[in-house]
Amino acid sequence: MTEQDIQEIKALLIAPKNVVIIPHKNPDGDAMGSTLGLCHYLIKNHHKATVIAPNDYPDFLKWLPGNDKVIIYESDMSNAESLIEQSHIIFTLDFNAFHRAGDMATSLANSKALKIMIDHHQQPDAYAKYMFSDVFMSSTCEMVYHFIDMLGDTENIDGDMATCLYAGILTDTGSFRFPSSTSKTHLVAAELINKGADHSEIYNAIYDTNSYERLQLLGVALKNLRILPEYKTAYITLTQEELNAANFRKGDTEGFVNYGLSIKNIIFAAIFIEHKQEGIIKISLRSKGAFSVNEFSRENFGGGGHTNAAGGKSDLNLIDTVEKFISILPRYKNTLNS
Ligand SMILES: [Mn+2]
């Protein structure tokens, strides 16, 4: 984002605008934190701003300030469509390709509204008039802070904004432990605490929310965990039956994949989750160091993300998906062992 861009955006935001802010499908903490944080900021600056999420998100994010005003596209389509229709500006946050907005993709593509992207994923599409894209950023929430900073307006960040932005930084950095979490990230987090984010309360609200069923499901996942030492790889499977038996709720499997990575000498972890209704296997991939799960997913499982965290999917059944996964590992053996 150039100085020229910033000046143009500033000029654009002088008069009240209708603004729609979109997170990616299956929104996570960073997606909801960044969209809600920006939404509070724009409303405070007299714009009419609304967050429209493509679909619903887990309960552990529903305490975020402003959550009650979020519109879920899937269940409130006509309202969402008319807001998109009337919007002057559309912000797309924490994603960079329309298809990541699920069923909203077509409406976004057809909309004449000016588009601004704030995102830290790789290989952004060129749909936005203004692009703030930086793969070295810890989180989109950190970028929203920098965006407000570039507008010269951090003094207007209040407790609600700070809480939303802090929540997304916390979740996207794995509580500040991923390499993407820099000294700058910590400085932003410190600023957000100064502005009213209660770091301890936010942590509890997000992470100390286990249900008994989720812990039982975690037990099943850990029992299903397999390791392939020659590839420094660990993977977990969960069948639809196992999910049903544990009374699975959206978000329950969040973070399970990371247990594989916590094993000594394992640098690549995967989880394969059966979704009978959609007829697919959802895949989450994590790595440590230089091994790029973004590339691995792009090459084999039609997904992508970041170097150390990516998603993907498979149309094969669960057993065949795992078989495919194991069969392609030899191609990566050198990289995994370097
Ligand atoms: Mn993110």
Side-chain angles (χ1 to χ4, degrees):
M1 192 155 263
T2 64
E3 183 53 36
Q4 168 86 11
D5 290 342
I6 290 296
Q7 292 313 323
E8 288 177 23
I9 293 170
K10 264 188 184 173
L12 196 69
L13 293 177
I14 282 176
K17 295 282 189 302
N18 293 341
V19 185
V20 161
I21 311 168
I22 320 272
H24 54 76
K25 192 180 175 189
N26 300 321
D28 56 9
D30 190 32
M32 290 318 298
S34 61
T35 50
L36 282 169
L38 180 65
C39 191
H40 289 301
Y41 172 76
L42 292 171
I43 288 171
K44 203 170 175 184
N45 284 284
H46 314 294
H47 302 286
K48 184 174 176 283
T50 315
V51 174
I52 306 178
N55 61 345
D56 205 2
Y57 45 91
D59 283 346
F60 69 81
L61 296 173
K62 294 207 166 157
W63 59 272
L64 286 168
N67 173 73
D68 53 325
K69 305 255 168 39
V70 173
I71 288 176
I72 308 289
Y73 184 84
E74 248 179 28
S75 53
D76 202 357
M77 213 173 283
S78 63
N79 196 7
E81 284 292 351
S82 90
L83 283 163
I84 294 171
E85 176 88 44
Q86 291 159 27
S87 65
H88 304 112
I89 303 171
I90 295 179
F91 280 88
T92 64
L93 264 53
D94 204 33
F95 70 100
N96 59 25
F98 282 145
H99 71 89
R100 292 282 290 120
D103 293 344
M104 293 176 77
T106 317
S107 312
L108 290 183
N110 291 338
S111 159
K112 297 276 178 291
L114 183 146
K115 304 198 178 64
I116 303 178
M117 174 201 297
I118 303 178
D119 178 63
H120 65 140
H121 294 85
Q122 309 200 5
Q123 301 176 21
D125 282 353
Y127 60 79
K129 165 119 200 227
Y130 300 110
M131 261 168 84
F132 183 19
S133 165
D134 186 345
V135 297
F136 296 108
M137 284 284 164
S138 71
S139 53
T140 301
C141 280
E142 181 180 342
M143 297 177 78
V144 168
Y145 181 92
H146 293 312
F147 178 69
I148 296 172
D149 193 19
M150 288 188 278
L151 296 175
D153 215 9
T154 52
E155 72 208 32
N156 268 319
I157 295 179
D158 62 23
D160 281 352
M161 289 176 221
T163 299
C164 292
L165 297 181
Y166 186 95
I169 295 175
L170 183 74
T171 52
D172 249 30
T173 60
S175 305
F176 300 97
R177 77 183 189 276
F178 298 151
S180 61
S181 183
T182 63
S183 62
K184 213 166 156 189
T185 312
H186 285 268
L187 286 171
V188 169
E191 271 311 305
L192 294 173
I193 290 171
N194 285 336
K195 291 175 186 305
D198 184 330
H199 65 93
S200 189
E201 224 172 72
I202 294 170
Y203 185 95
N204 291 339
I206 290 175
Y207 292 113
D208 294 343
T209 56
N210 275 318
S211 63
Y212 174 76
E213 285 84 1
R214 180 176 186 266
L215 287 187
Q216 296 298 112
L217 186 61
L218 175 61
V220 175
L222 294 180
K223 225 173 181 175
N224 292 348
L225 188 147
R226 298 285 176 274
I227 59 170
L228 305 162
E230 66 272 41
Y231 303 113
K232 298 187 174 175
T233 296
Y235 68 90
I236 290 170
T237 55
L238 282 172
T239 64
Q240 185 73 60
E241 253 173 45
E242 288 167 329
L243 296 170
N244 293 350
N247 208 356
F248 171 75
R249 298 193 55 182
K250 214 179 178 79
D252 277 354
T253 55
E254 194 83 36
F256 282 10
V257 63
N258 294 313
Y259 284 91
L261 268 196
S262 73
I263 301 169
K264 195 171 178 182
N265 292 328
I266 295 296
I267 63 153
F268 180 28
I271 188 167
F272 302 94
I273 303 175
E274 187 176 37
H275 283 252
K276 272 265 162 73
Q277 212 181 354
E278 295 172 58
I280 57 165
I281 308 300
K282 287 196 181 167
I283 305 169
S284 286
L285 303 166
R286 298 290 183 272
S287 69
K288 281 181 174 165
F291 182 69
S292 172
V293 289
N294 173 56
E295 279 169 33
F296 184 89
S297 184
R298 279 176 199 275
E299 286 162 9
N300 303 294
F301 292 108
H306 311 284
T307 302
N308 296 126
K313 63 175 177 146
S314 160
D315 297 322
L316 304 170
N317 67 34
L318 187 58
I319 290 169
D320 291 348
T321 301
V322 171
E323 211 164 83
K324 174 181 170 182
F325 176 71
I326 293 172
S327 77
I328 54 189
L329 284 176
R331 283 173 21 209
Y332 298 89
K333 191 170 184 180
N334 289 337
T335 331
L336 286 162
N337 283 289
S338 65

